[in-house]
Amino acid sequence: MDLFEGNLELKEIQKLEGHTDRVWSLAWNPTTGVSGIPAMLASCSGDKTVRIWQQNGHSWECKAILDETHTRTVRSCAWSPSGKLLATASFDATTAIWENVGGDFECVATLEGHENEVKSVSWNASGSLLATCSRDKSVWIWEVMPGNEFECVSVLQGHTQDVKMVQWHPNMDILFSCSYDNTIKIWAEDGDSDDWHCVQTISEANNGHSSTVWALSFNSKGDRMVTCSDDLTLKIWESDSKTTSPVGDGYAPWIHVSTLSGYHDRTIFSVHWSREGIIASGAADDAIRFFIENKDGLIDGPSYKLLLKKEKAHDMDVNSVQWISKETRLLASASDDGTIKIWELASLP
């Protein structure tokens, strides 16, 4: 039987309250579900804090509030692949690195250098590199050194506006950045010189977005990417990942394969692709949408269809949607209404 046959519903499991301002971003700890480790979720907010939530049976509890480091909005958070370190990016122009020491979180490093708001932070698959981006139009790549030291190895200039998000490819050291300048830039290291350079720019001229690109996400194989924008569309991109080597002439460009439009009527802020192939999107229309690939085979190339829609998922803008990293259909969403919701995509009996 097809995974997606029958009727599905989005069940609200719990509403997490505690932040006193909008919640910008969410990150599930990647060790969730490994050898019985309870699920852990980080959230960051305009209230200058980061909260760590942990699953206890069927409910989530706030286990820690990280509130002594950032002096302005915390815009983005990301766990290292080991789940031991949490990076948080703030409008105070710094990125903080927190280490989980026996359940207590200590700030072990503060990364400085951006001229103003840091908008996003992302670890590469091995945890050896960290990327940050800012309203100063730059993307920085930091090398993780022994003893929780971080060294900036490259400052990437190429965007002409505020950079909204950075995201590493799931299994290659290729970095993607999306910006207020309506483009997505793809960066790779030059094998000869250790310098990083832009290997592709996706813009409106090559089927890209016509307004701010807010976020992107990869499928589990890493050969498709979804992007979302202020232009009210989601776009699907494909690359032959077998030949997408980070260096030299082997780079296989990302090509546009599908556009989803007409599903949200306000800015789409967040998009996330689950391991089993469900795309979730959250937008300023307070709604969450779910899409899957249309397997009917009537159209050349991949196409996607609406699986489910949840109107009024929150009372205000939905800023972040994140699938849990293990093989369950749990989704977390964060909103301008100051709350986080944990949902389950469940089959109706």
Side-chain angles (χ1 to χ4, degrees):
M1 173 178 161
D2 184 351
L3 220 49
F4 309 118
E5 277 179 13
N7 289 323
L8 294 168
E9 64 168 338
L10 191 65
K11 271 179 23 190
E12 184 179 324
I13 304 293
Q14 191 176 344
K15 180 157 81 169
L16 309 182
E17 298 178 289
H19 283 296
T20 57
D21 201 333
R22 67 183 58 175
V23 185
W24 277 110
S25 179
L26 300 167
W28 289 102
N29 191 299
T31 62
T32 287
V34 177
S35 61
I37 297 173
M40 191 183 285
L41 180 72
S43 60
C44 56
S45 166
D47 65 12
K48 309 173 194 170
T49 74
V50 179
R51 284 176 176 254
I52 309 294
W53 309 85
Q54 191 166 312
Q55 189 174 12
N56 183 7
H58 293 293
S59 66
W60 272 259
E61 299 169 355
C62 182
K63 284 296 191 189
I65 301 173
L66 317 184
D67 60 357
E68 293 181 349
T69 295
H70 291 299
T71 58
R72 292 183 62 196
T73 288
V74 188
R75 179 65 180 83
S76 171
C77 54
W79 294 97
S80 64
S82 69
K84 291 270 199 300
L85 298 176
L86 178 71
T88 57
S90 170
F91 284 7
D92 65 15
T94 71
T95 301
I97 309 295
W98 308 82
E99 186 173 11
N100 184 356
V101 184
D104 289 326
F105 287 82
E106 298 172 12
C107 182
V108 294
T110 303
L111 314 186
E112 299 177 341
H114 282 294
E115 291 171 22
N116 42 40
E117 293 100 318
V118 186
K119 293 294 181 74
S120 175
V121 61
S122 176
W123 302 83
N124 71 339
S126 66
S128 61
L129 297 171
L130 185 75
T132 57
C133 66
S134 167
R135 193 165 71 89
D136 65 15
K137 308 173 193 171
S138 71
V139 174
W140 289 43
I141 296 176
W142 307 80
E143 189 173 346
V144 184
M145 313 295 276
N148 290 322
E149 296 284 326
F150 289 77
E151 180 187 341
C152 178
V153 292
S154 198
V155 175
L156 309 178
Q157 308 279 4
H159 285 294
T160 58
Q161 297 283 338
D162 182 354
V163 189
K164 295 293 186 190
M165 186 185 195
V166 280
Q167 187 70 46
W168 290 96
H169 188 273
N171 46 39
M172 287 180 289
D173 285 343
I174 300 177
L175 181 67
F176 295 69
S177 58
C178 46
S179 169
Y180 196 75
D181 66 13
N182 310 351
T183 71
I184 300 142
K185 285 188 178 285
I186 303 165
W187 311 86
E189 193 174 17
D190 186 329
D192 301 328
S193 66
D194 291 345
D195 276 345
W196 289 76
H197 62 285
C198 181
V199 292
Q200 186 181 357
T201 299
I202 295 173
S203 66
E204 191 175 5
N206 44 19
N207 294 310
H209 291 287
S210 60
S211 189
T212 302
V213 189
W214 278 93
L216 62 92
S217 180
F218 296 94
N219 68 349
S220 57
K221 280 174 63 181
D223 60 353
R224 286 190 190 163
M225 166 175 73
V226 58
T227 56
C228 66
S229 169
D230 195 37
D231 66 12
L232 313 187
T233 70
L234 298 160
K235 287 178 180 278
I236 312 287
W237 308 85
E238 194 169 54
S239 175
D240 182 353
S241 61
K242 291 187 289 297
T243 61
T244 306
S245 72
V247 291
D249 300 326
Y251 177 78
W254 290 76
I255 53 171
H256 172 261
V257 293
S258 185
T259 295
L260 294 164
S261 61
Y263 296 103
H264 287 286
D265 53 22
R266 292 186 64 195
T267 301
I268 309 169
F269 288 127
S270 182
V271 63
H272 198 223
W273 211 320
S274 80
R275 284 193 181 177
E276 59 174 2
I278 307 173
I279 296 169
S281 60
D285 57 10
D286 315 341
I288 301 173
R289 298 277 187 270
F290 298 89
F291 304 92
I292 53 165
E293 188 172 355
N294 189 351
K295 300 285 194 183
D296 295 343
L298 301 174
I299 304 169
D300 293 337
S303 69
Y304 289 77
K305 64 182 180 184
L306 184 71
L307 177 69
L308 188 70
K309 55 187 178 182
K310 181 70 176 180
E311 309 290 355
K312 299 304 286 181
H314 283 272
D315 294 335
M316 296 169 76
D317 296 9
V318 180
N319 295 319
S320 182
V321 286
Q322 289 289 313
W323 292 103
I324 199 166
S325 49
K326 63 179 179 177
E327 305 288 345
T328 63
R329 293 186 183 174
L330 283 182
L331 181 86
S333 61
S335 169
D336 274 7
D337 64 17
T339 71
I340 299 139
K341 288 186 180 182
I342 309 290
W343 308 87
E344 183 183 13
L345 190 59
S347 300
L348 286 169

